[in-house]
Amino acid sequence: MPAPLPPGSLSLFSSLRAIRQRSFYREEAKKHGPIFKTTQFHHRVICVADLALAHRLLREQASAIAPCPQDFSKDVTGDFVRFMAPMNYKLYGPMFRRAFAKPVVSASTAFAARLIGEQLALMTVPQDPHKHLTDLTRQIFARILFGLEPGVPILEKFRSAYAALANKTMSQRLGTAGLAALADLRSMLRTPPTGVSAINDMAQQLDGTLNDTVIDNLLFTLRISTNDATGLLVWILEFLGRDPQWLDQLRKKEDPTLPSRIIKESLRLARSEFLYRKAAQEFEFENFRFPQGWLIRICIAECHRDPKHFTNPDTFNPDRFLGPPPSDQIYSPFGIRDHACSGPEFTALIATLVIEELQNYDIVLSGPATAQRGFRHWSHWRPSSKVALRPRS
Ligand code: HEM
């Protein structure tokens, strides 16, 4: 007899609740245990809301579990790195990791610090901070990835062509105009600006021959990473604005680990939500059947709020990261095992510099202390507050 499916509802009603109610996956895990099923419109999904189990699942069932590509990857030559076929990933995965590491990223520190100083100073009237911080993050990451900064000849051409990529969501294909813009971007980046950048590091690793797989991946990394890092920055503004004692503590400069603890705590509470995989073939795990074709959602956000591992899990408290780092069996904001994030250095650079600069301001929040998101299961939650920065005298 085959094992049963995990418990949980496949109704349209619960699919809608999953979109609208931030506590949905947590409540389902409480009701059914850490492995349960749900639906995302026409997709059937098995959720795993326990990181130790998720590690074991991905290890034991490695051959039966596949990546779950998003539509945009079809426009990327050779696929986006996160979804690459194993042979390609074996070659490119480590190369991108090297190109995104500290020696390359830190070459843009001075540029990033200057831009953050200039741009935060403009946030004086109450606003949804997302757009402003997206522009800021994109400029910094374009500098790290491609060496783009004022004075570089291709900057304006790059900006206007890149707009056709930037305005698409992850589930949208580029379309004719977007593909034409991608072709333009490829040809202008075949000879990148000189200096330390990820693209020049890749060129060096490939003995000078940049190919479309590399260029496309870097362009789509710019798109995705801008979104991920901006999502974190708006939450940092929200947490520090709601609880200004942390800014007061930062200003005292007594503990150099506080900025990184603020980043870790913001990631824990708000900006590491899920991983998706697909059952490439049917298998059994923990006495449940995982049918072929079903999605697997690793519920990172829910693991990060598990009261077994985090005291007062809903409270913003960077001090919980004093002492030794938590094991990856309970805290994994950048993913687990294969395909874990290669952008922690990018994230640390921008978030640390923003936290540094915020110490010159009072963060004034207005509007409800709630979270909102787009009408999709894969959208990320973001705060609803409007934000103004008031310079401290
Ligand atoms: C708040 C910031 C970020 C978070 C929470 C985050 C989270 C993640 C997670 C969870 C994964 C694994 C996805 C999976 O296994 O399906 C991932 C992969 C990835 N991330 Fe990030 N990310 C962030 C920022 C960035 C940045 C700034 C970059 C810029 C380089 C980046 C580049 C990547 C890449 C290239 C992958 C695929 C890695 C591979 O397959 O080898 N991420 N990220």
Side-chain angles (χ1 to χ4, degrees):
M1 260 245 304
L5 289 169
S9 167
L10 296 177
S11 72
L12 177 64
F13 176 67
S14 78
S15 180
L16 293 172
R17 268 184 61 221
I19 295 186
R20 279 287 169 238
Q21 209 173 312
R22 202 169 173 204
S23 57
F24 171 81
Y25 293 98
R26 211 170 160 194
E27 285 170 15
E28 291 294 290
K30 211 166 160 189
K31 190 156 48 165
H32 302 297
I35 303 181
F36 57 92
K37 66 179 181 308
T38 183
T39 172
Q40 298 181 349
F41 300 128
H42 48 283
H43 293 296
R44 304 285 159 106
V45 186
I46 295 184
C47 301
V48 180
D50 178 303
L51 270 179
L53 274 181
H55 272 272
R56 191 153 63 72
L57 169 68
L58 296 189
R59 190 178 65 241
E60 287 178 3
Q61 300 298 335
S63 60
I65 293 179
C68 191
Q70 288 174 274
D71 273 357
F72 77 85
S73 189
K74 294 182 188 139
D75 291 329
V76 180
T77 311
D79 273 329
F80 187 58
V81 60
R82 195 182 275 187
F83 312 119
M84 262 178 193
M87 281 296 281
N88 251 7
Y89 187 62
K90 222 170 151 184
L91 171 68
Y92 287 111
M95 293 174 83
F96 284 116
R97 249 167 237 286
R98 189 191 110 165
F100 298 162
K102 198 165 188 161
V104 172
V105 173
S106 57
S108 294
T109 305
F111 173 84
R114 193 172 57 250
L115 201 65
I116 288 168
E118 288 164 12
Q119 291 297 315
L120 294 196
L122 301 177
M123 294 179 67
T124 48
V125 291
Q127 59 190 281
D128 172 352
H130 205 267
K131 183 175 177 324
H132 196 75
L133 293 177
T134 298
D135 289 346
L136 170 65
T137 305
R138 185 180 295 134
Q139 288 183 65
I140 292 172
F141 288 178
R143 170 70 178 74
I144 302 173
L145 289 164
F146 303 114
L148 292 168
E149 61 181 10
V152 164
I154 61 167
L155 182 63
E156 285 317 314
K157 261 173 68 192
F158 178 94
R159 277 191 183 153
S160 76
Y162 183 78
L165 271 67
N167 65 18
K168 300 280 180 186
T169 68
M170 298 300 129
S171 54
Q172 281 177 316
R173 299 290 304 272
L174 288 180
T176 315
L179 288 172
L182 180 60
D184 274 357
L185 289 162
R186 273 185 205 130
S187 73
M188 69 182 89
L189 288 170
R190 222 165 274 286
T191 317
T194 52
V196 181
S197 63
I199 197 166
N200 282 333
D201 191 89
M202 290 299 287
Q204 200 184 42
Q205 295 187 62
L206 289 161
D207 297 326
T209 50
L210 285 167
N211 58 40
D212 289 353
T213 297
V214 169
I215 298 176
D216 288 10
N217 263 277
L218 293 173
L219 285 164
F220 279 82
T221 295
L222 176 59
R223 214 176 119 187
I224 291 158
S225 62
T226 298
N227 204 33
D228 283 341
T230 306
L232 174 66
L233 296 179
V234 293
W235 277 108
I236 289 175
L237 282 175
E238 174 77 11
F239 291 132
L240 297 183
R242 296 262 162 232
D243 199 354
Q245 61 143 327
W246 297 106
L247 272 176
D248 292 339
Q249 284 201 36
L250 281 163
R251 287 181 197 110
K252 289 186 196 149
K253 311 232 178 277
E254 284 169 357
D255 182 349
T257 70
L258 184 53
S260 79
R261 289 190 283 111
I262 288 173
I263 297 168
K264 285 182 187 144
E265 180 65 341
S266 305
L267 285 166
R268 182 188 74 82
L269 271 176
R271 205 39 220 217
S272 40
E273 293 188 49
F274 48 72
L275 304 179
Y276 277 95
R277 297 289 186 270
K278 200 184 214 167
Q281 60 197 61
E282 179 162 307
F283 63 88
E284 287 181 15
F285 179 72
E286 288 286 298
N287 301 320
F288 291 124
R289 186 158 58 93
F290 284 58
Q292 183 180 18
W294 283 40
L295 301 186
I296 300 169
R297 176 188 166 111
I298 314 285
C299 298
I300 305 267
E302 290 66 28
C303 300
H304 283 175
R305 287 178 185 243
D306 186 338
K308 280 202 306 287
H309 304 304
F310 299 97
T311 319
N312 297 327
D314 297 331
T315 307
F316 180 77
N317 177 16
D319 283 352
R320 69 175 80 246
F321 288 99
L322 284 166
S327 117
D328 66 357
Q329 306 285 309
I330 64 168
Y331 178 74
S332 270
F334 290 114
I336 54 182
R337 296 180 58 81
D338 297 347
H339 294 288
C341 184
S342 44
E345 290 298 340
F346 282 58
T347 309
L349 176 91
I350 195 163
T352 308
L353 291 171
V354 165
I355 290 171
E356 179 71 30
E357 187 61 23
L358 283 174
Q359 295 168 48
N360 301 320
Y361 297 91
D362 288 319
I363 302 172
V364 183
L365 301 181
S366 48
T370 52
Q372 57 180 352
R373 70 166 179 183
F375 194 72
R376 297 185 59 83
H377 291 92
W378 293 30
S379 306
H380 290 282
W381 290 95
R382 50 165 136 136
S384 311
S385 313
K386 295 213 178 316
V387 177
L389 299 182
R390 299 271 152 75
R392 289 168 69 87
S393 41

